[in-house]
Amino acid sequence: MLEVRNLTKFFGGLAAVRDVSFEVRRGQIFGFIGPNGAGKTTLFNMIAGTYKPTSGQVLSCGRNITGYPSFRLVHEGIARTHQVVRPFRAMTVLDNVRVGAHFGRQGGDHKSAADRAMDALREVGLHHLTDSSAHVLSVGNQKKLEVARALATDPELLLCDEICGGLTRAETDAMLDLLRQIRDRGTTIMYVEHDVRAITAVCDRILVLNYGKKLSEGTPNEIQLDPAVIEAYLGAAPKGWNGKEVSEGTPEKVQNDPADIETYPGASAPRAKTGTDDE
Amino acid sequence: MTGARLRIFLPPIALLGVLLLLPAFGIQPNAVRLLFVTFVWMTASIAWNLLGGFAGQVSFGFAVFYGVGAYAAAILIDGGRLNPYLALVAAGMTAAIASVLIGLPTFRLRGPYFAIATIGVSETVRVVATNLEFTGGASGYRITEPRPFNQAEHYYTALIVAALAFAVSLFISRHKFGLGLIAINQDEDAAADTGVNPFVYKLKAHAVAAFLTGVAGGVFARYAAFIHPNGVFGFPISVQILLMPVIGGLGTVWGPVIGGVVIGVIEEEIVAYFPQVHLLIYGLLLIVIVLFEPGGILGAIRRLQRWVRRIRDRQAGKRTADARSKKPDEVLWGAGSGPGR
Ligand SMILES: Nc1ncnc2c1ncn2[C@@H]1O[C@H](COP(=O)(O)OP(=O)(O)OP(=O)(O)O)[C@@H](O)[C@H]1O
Ligand SMILES: [Mg+2]
């Protein structure tokens, strides 16, 4: 349903994304991993219309949608969340999501849009906080709000950028269940996450980015066995910063080793929750 | 639900009723004049708030619409012999067209850059108007109407126009349009990522605001019967229009109304006796608001209410509920919970 051909983005002399091609099929959860600065967010920004690509094409169901502005892509059925959350801070949680319902693909009148906003809030589990100001939510709930707001636009393709960053393990698992649920009722998902465990658990297919280039693509199993990926990404994990070997084993074993989780930056170690919930 | 509706719609309707009946009780011509001027300012204040308060696009250029409206009405009534009420509608539409022409380039800019651009446009228009032939240039334009001057007619015209502006503002605040504007105000990029077309929405809000401001300019021109470019196109007009919602309560429905009353009274009562002192008062008001109460007068009232309630609750031994959540009528009255609750 979405095809990306030779997509490239330069910031000055820096190629943030270079010559990346792939195809996302309907009903998939398509994952993207790669170290910090690999170009994942930049790739999303080009697909969602925030940046215009330097070159290359984005096709939706065969139609060229390269360089469309973001609001138009929302109407085409492509919605995104933000890695650094961007709620409408002074609005209530419900109003945040109502913006998506009113201005999304269906749009529509007051009542039905408000209903759709409530549905989206219920789906992510924020319906008990509808009247809170968005800025008093915890980071975890702000991430959920990002998902709800995007969902309310009624997307065919949902781009999720690190919606589990900063969440505890239990919260992450709940979020992954939510992604599966969204996929199962017909929305295709593109999903960026640092947490390799989360990505491999939920994705049908994964693309590995490194220095803006496509390093590898395949099913979670194929990716984990790809020597180039192990070398560039997972391969960094067994060695601690002091150069000593922390642990060794299959990718699966290494990922779940607490010593690695502590050493390897961006792995799934639960991070401290910030902010408070208004419950 | 009906209770909430009543609380929203009853106060403005009651107020309008009182103001409609007021002249029948034979009030002083001076008081009528004060109210007339207040309604004209209030209209521009409510209009500016649509763009500056709801959408967060601070313009220093509303004198353009006020002036264009004033001149369009003046020329159509005096030269064109048009029905004055049709002329007022035409004045608003002329201003709205001007707003689109100004908005197309300036809305590509954001924040302070937009504000600065509006100053440039506004000054350019003033200089051009000063040098145009058919407007009478710097010496101004005199309007003679075939009908004799009737103060009550002007009073009602201004009142209806202000009421219309209020109704538009209230409607927008309660519908999709207002939601989109507030989203743009909060985070323009996130709004676009959620399906709002910020550019078109800003243009629309600008046009509605310009229409209302243009009508206000026309209403004033008819009353004054004489206008000149440095008056209606002057930078002080832009600043005063902007000050009213800021003083009253930015981004609320009632704030610009309150601000309009404040400026109306200052303009009519203080400027007459102490010319120039009003500038000092504006400066002081602005400093106080920026430093102590960004919510303006409404914000201060809400703060006071919360304070009183807290003391009362403490005396009653209750724990004060946290005022974090936003009630639906916040957009009417500013942050906090509803009035009298
Ligand atoms: N607006 C911008 N201007 C200049 N450089 C940018 C801009 N956005 C991103 N970059 C650069 O492009 C590269 C890719 O950044 P990007 O944010 O896409 O990485 P990422 O894979 O999302 O990283 P992370 O895992 O930290 O989120 C980085 O070197 C970054 O500094
Ligand atoms: Mg990123």
Side-chain angles (χ1 to χ4, degrees):
Chain A
M1 78 173 296
L2 189 91
E3 196 185 337
V4 166
R5 286 190 196 151
N6 307 106
L7 212 56
T8 302
K9 180 73 190 179
F10 275 90
F11 292 112
L14 172 93
V17 173
R18 183 164 224 164
D19 227 14
V20 171
S21 304
F22 58 89
E23 191 180 346
V24 181
R25 297 192 180 283
R26 192 176 293 275
Q28 279 185 334
I29 299 182
F30 197 107
F32 296 82
I33 51 171
N36 287 105
K40 307 178 294 291
T41 300
T42 305
L43 183 64
F44 270 26
N45 279 337
M46 285 188 284
I47 296 169
T50 311
Y51 297 153
K52 292 210 192 317
T54 309
S55 64
Q57 287 182 324
V58 184
L59 301 128
S60 167
C61 304
R63 263 176 357 104
N64 190 347
I65 55 164
T66 318
Y68 276 24
S70 46
F71 58 87
R72 189 156 164 212
L73 289 166
V74 171
H75 301 145
E76 297 278 337
I78 299 178
R80 60 98 50 96
T81 71
H82 301 93
Q83 177 176 355
V84 180
V85 292
R86 297 179 80 160
F88 304 125
R89 293 174 53 83
M91 284 190 194
T92 63
V93 167
L94 179 60
D95 280 351
N96 264 271
V97 183
R98 272 179 55 220
V99 176
H102 276 298
F103 292 92
R105 203 148 58 100
Q106 292 192 26
D109 77 334
H110 238 60
K111 189 71 180 77
S112 75
D115 290 347
R116 265 182 281 128
M118 269 317 284
D119 291 344
L121 282 171
R122 222 171 277 123
E123 187 157 19
V124 305
L126 280 181
H127 49 287
H128 57 297
L129 295 172
T130 48
D131 284 340
S132 300
S133 282
H135 71 272
V136 303
L137 296 183
S138 67
V139 171
N141 281 340
Q142 293 199 3
K143 298 251 173 192
K144 285 185 188 168
L145 181 59
E146 283 276 338
V147 177
R149 192 171 66 185
L151 272 185
T153 67
D154 186 31
E156 288 195 306
L157 176 66
L158 178 65
L159 278 59
C160 296
D161 196 351
E162 297 203 27
I163 49 173
C164 292
L167 301 194
T168 63
R169 185 110 177 197
E171 287 173 322
T172 301
D173 288 341
M175 196 65 111
L176 298 183
D177 281 338
L178 174 65
L179 284 185
R180 289 191 194 96
Q181 187 188 321
I182 294 168
R183 188 255 329 259
D184 290 344
R185 63 165 178 68
T187 305
T188 310
I189 294 172
M190 287 168 64
Y191 180 32
V192 165
E193 195 71 69
H194 267 293
D195 181 347
V196 181
R197 182 191 69 91
I199 276 278
T200 48
V202 80
C203 289
D204 303 299
R205 216 171 161 75
I206 296 173
L207 189 152
V208 185
L209 275 176
N210 201 20
Y211 296 111
K213 292 206 195 99
K214 176 163 147 181
L215 190 66
S216 175
E217 187 197 326
T219 63
N221 271 332
E222 287 166 6
I223 290 299
Q224 284 172 322
L225 298 174
D226 186 331
V229 177
I230 295 170
E231 163 87 31
Y233 193 72
L234 301 173
K239 298 216 184 233
W241 294 120
N242 50 12
K244 271 191 280 184
E245 203 169 82
V246 183
S247 78
E248 190 188 336
T250 62
E252 196 60 52
K253 193 175 146 221
V254 167
Q255 278 164 37
N256 293 326
D257 187 330
D260 290 338
I261 290 168
E262 224 167 62
T263 324
Y264 181 65
S268 61
R271 265 165 261 167
K273 250 176 81 170
T274 48
T276 49
D277 274 17
D278 189 34
E279 306 203 6
Chain B
M1 196 59 214
T2 47
R5 268 164 192 259
L6 214 60
R7 215 176 42 239
I8 290 167
F9 294 112
L10 195 63
I13 290 172
L15 186 61
L16 178 62
V18 170
L19 290 169
L20 281 172
L21 292 176
L22 211 54
F25 294 104
I27 53 170
Q28 296 272 316
N30 266 344
V32 176
R33 183 187 157 85
L34 168 65
L35 285 168
F36 169 85
V37 170
T38 301
F39 297 150
V40 171
W41 282 120
M42 193 184 284
T43 305
S45 168
I46 292 168
W48 189 91
N49 184 60
L50 299 177
L51 184 73
F54 290 162
Q57 307 299 309
V58 174
S59 167
F60 283 87
F62 267 48
V64 171
F65 311 134
Y66 191 79
V68 163
Y71 268 94
I75 291 167
L76 288 171
I77 292 170
D78 185 83
R81 293 274 159 247
L82 195 67
N83 173 295
Y85 296 100
L86 286 180
L88 289 180
V89 174
M93 293 203 310
T94 314
I97 292 167
S99 83
V100 175
L101 297 180
I102 293 170
L104 283 173
T106 52
F107 282 135
R108 312 250 168 225
L109 306 170
R110 286 191 185 189
Y113 300 102
F114 169 75
I116 290 166
T118 58
I119 297 177
V121 172
S122 169
E123 281 302 282
T124 308
V125 170
R126 185 182 61 82
V127 171
V128 170
T130 315
N131 293 297
L132 275 183
E133 284 272 326
F134 73 100
T135 62
S139 53
Y141 196 97
R142 190 168 297 285
I143 305 144
T144 45
E145 286 193 59
R147 281 182 283 170
F149 179 83
N150 176 352
Q151 203 192 22
E153 185 192 343
H154 288 286
Y155 172 89
Y156 282 118
T157 310
L159 173 58
I160 297 301
V161 168
L164 203 83
F166 182 88
V168 167
S169 168
L170 184 60
F171 181 88
I172 288 176
S173 77
R174 291 168 57 77
H175 286 84
K176 177 178 168 178
F177 191 58
L179 191 66
L181 294 180
I182 297 170
I184 291 168
N185 185 351
Q186 298 277 299
D187 186 333
E188 188 169 333
D189 294 322
D193 287 335
T194 318
V196 183
N197 182 344
F199 188 64
V200 165
Y201 254 58
K202 286 191 267 186
L203 277 180
K204 283 186 186 170
H206 203 209
V208 175
F211 179 89
L212 293 170
T213 309
V215 174
V219 170
F220 174 79
R222 245 190 108 201
Y223 182 87
F226 175 72
I227 50 176
H228 62 101
N230 289 328
V232 291
F233 282 114
F235 190 60
I237 297 273
S238 289
V239 173
Q240 265 174 37
I241 292 177
L242 167 153
L243 267 180
M244 290 183 279
V246 172
I247 289 172
L250 202 58
T252 64
V253 171
W254 281 97
V257 175
I258 294 170
V261 172
V262 172
I263 296 284
V265 169
I266 290 177
E267 283 289 300
E268 271 306 288
E269 300 302 310
I270 297 183
V271 174
Y273 306 109
F274 311 99
Q276 303 306 325
V277 166
H278 63 295
L279 295 178
L280 191 67
I281 297 177
Y282 294 156
L284 284 175
L285 272 174
L286 200 60
I287 290 170
V288 168
I289 283 166
V290 168
L291 286 182
F292 301 112
E293 188 49 78
I297 293 173
L298 269 185
I301 293 173
R302 308 318 300 274
R303 195 190 290 247
L304 205 67
Q305 275 183 352
R306 276 198 299 274
W307 190 63
V308 168
R309 195 176 324 130
R310 209 175 311 135
I311 290 176
R312 215 188 312 145
D313 287 354
R314 199 176 298 150
Q315 282 171 349
K318 268 191 290 179
R319 206 180 136 265
T320 314
D322 203 347
R324 263 175 180 169
S325 74
K326 189 185 120 166
K327 296 293 178 287
D329 56 1
E330 181 176 311
V331 72
L332 288 177
W333 302 98
S337 48
R341 260 190 285 158

